[in-house]
Amino acid sequence: QGWIIQDAIYKSKGPDNKWFSADDELLKYHRFEYSKKGDLLRAMEYLDKANGRGADGKWFTADDVVSSAKLFIYNEAGRMIKVNKYVAPGPDGQWFTADDTIQYYVLYDSTN
């Protein structure tokens, strides 16, 4: 459907000094979730320096650790009105629940 579901940001070419090879060093990646109609709902960031690789030490596996997250909020007309940026999942340890630690939010003008 043409949606970006994941992106990756690399910090170096790795020991072989060639981009797009198996030893490139990843800085972070993002994963995106959409509604059925294509609205961006959530974005999660997995950052190397924040244990993003998880316990197995490998990228893009089920144990990768989310370092921050964004929640995209829409009004009844389907226009994006707010984006919340979270930096911790809160005491319950679950992202996208009421106790998440918010870093900032952005409000959008929905009158246009």
Side-chain angles (χ1 to χ4, degrees):
Q1 295 171 339
W3 303 333
I4 297 172
I5 57 169
Q6 187 171 286
D7 70 6
I9 299 168
Y10 291 85
K11 61 183 172 183
S12 82
K13 300 176 193 179
D16 71 3
N17 202 30
K18 295 178 184 177
W19 284 114
F20 308 109
S21 60
D23 70 342
D24 292 356
E25 292 183 75
L26 190 68
L27 174 65
K28 63 183 174 178
Y29 76 92
H30 301 95
R31 200 168 40 90
F32 305 97
E33 295 177 359
Y34 298 85
S35 71
K36 289 181 181 180
K37 67 179 188 173
D39 293 331
L40 181 58
L41 299 176
R42 298 175 175 178
M44 286 72 59
E45 180 175 80
Y46 302 82
L47 183 61
D48 186 38
K49 69 179 181 181
N51 194 33
R53 298 175 194 240
D56 68 6
K58 298 177 183 177
W59 284 112
F60 310 112
T61 59
D63 74 337
D64 289 358
V65 177
V66 175
S67 60
S68 65
K70 288 184 178 180
L71 179 65
F72 300 84
I73 301 164
Y74 298 82
N75 66 13
E76 290 180 6
R79 296 187 69 145
M80 185 185 304
I81 57 170
K82 187 176 181 184
V83 177
N84 291 343
K85 165 82 181 284
Y86 299 100
V87 292
D92 69 2
Q94 299 293 314
W95 287 98
F96 303 110
T97 58
D99 68 345
D100 292 359
T101 303
I102 192 164
Q103 180 181 32
Y104 65 82
Y105 62 88
V106 177
L107 296 175
Y108 291 86
D109 180 2
S110 62
T111 60
N112 294 327

